[in-house]
């Protein structure tokens, strides 16, 4: 059975079953690639955080692990070799999460020249 392409491709665009399977495979391989990159970068972050005395627990998932900003501040301190400034070690409110992230980003913009 032939599958018609999305409306953006035009109503007369034909997608063969083989092309459809390839598109599904590419979507799955992209998801797998993202998972591998997430795990690799999480391991890299954890390796560097071991050198920080106040580092939080190891990160399993980047989006959750960097959410509070504590790990980000510790990582920036380890990589730069300088203190980023005061930040909350155990933030409890979302405003404190934002403050921690702003401390790390502010340090990178002021001291390291990152824009």
């Amino acid at each position: 059975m032939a599958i018609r392409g999305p409306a953006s491709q035009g109503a007369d665009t034909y997608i063969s079953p083989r092309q459809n399977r390839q598109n599904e495979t590419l979507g799955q391989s992209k998801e797998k690639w993202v998972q591998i990159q997430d795990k690799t970068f999480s391991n890299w972050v954890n390796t560097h955080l071991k050198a920080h005395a106040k580092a939080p627990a190891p990160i399993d998932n980047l989006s959750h692990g960097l959410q509070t900003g504590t790990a980000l501040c510790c990582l920036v301190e380890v990589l730069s070799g300088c203190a980023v400034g005061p930040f909350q070690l155990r933030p409890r409110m979302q405003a404190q999460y934002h403050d921690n992230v702003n401390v790390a980003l502010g340090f990178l913009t002021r001291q390291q020249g990152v824009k």
Side-chain angles (χ1 to χ4, degrees), residues 4-5 9-14:
R4 297 285 177 195
Q9 293 179 351
D12 294 331
T13 304
Y14 172 78

Side-chain angles (χ1 to χ4, degrees), residues 66-70 72-73 88 91 93-105:
L66 298 176
Q67 181 179 3
T68 65
T70 306
L72 181 62
C73 287
Q88 296 288 326
M93 297 181 289
Q94 192 171 12
Q96 293 173 326
Y97 296 175
H98 289 250
D99 288 343
N100 281 353
V101 172
N102 285 332
V103 166
L105 295 178

Side-chain angles (χ1 to χ4, degrees), residues 8-74:
S8 63
Q9 293 179 351
D12 294 331
T13 304
Y14 172 78
I15 298 176
S16 71
R18 181 174 183 225
Q19 288 173 324
N20 193 36
R21 283 191 303 275
Q22 287 174 344
N23 289 342
E24 289 175 1
T25 303
L26 289 175
Q28 291 170 354
S29 65
K30 183 177 180 182
E31 288 177 21
K32 187 167 179 79
W33 179 84
V34 169
Q35 290 173 350
I36 291 170
Q37 293 299 311
D38 183 43
K39 184 174 180 179
T40 301
F41 191 65
S42 296
N43 289 337
W44 179 83
V45 168
N46 288 331
T47 300
H48 287 287
L49 285 178
K50 287 179 185 176
H52 198 280
K54 300 176 185 175
I59 294 173
D60 292 331
N61 182 327
L62 285 177
S63 60
H64 296 295
L66 298 176
Q67 181 179 3
T68 65
T70 306
L72 181 62
C73 287
C74 293

Side-chain angles (χ1 to χ4, degrees), residues 76-87:
V76 169
E77 285 184 349
V78 168
L79 295 176
S80 69
C82 303
V84 295
F87 63 93

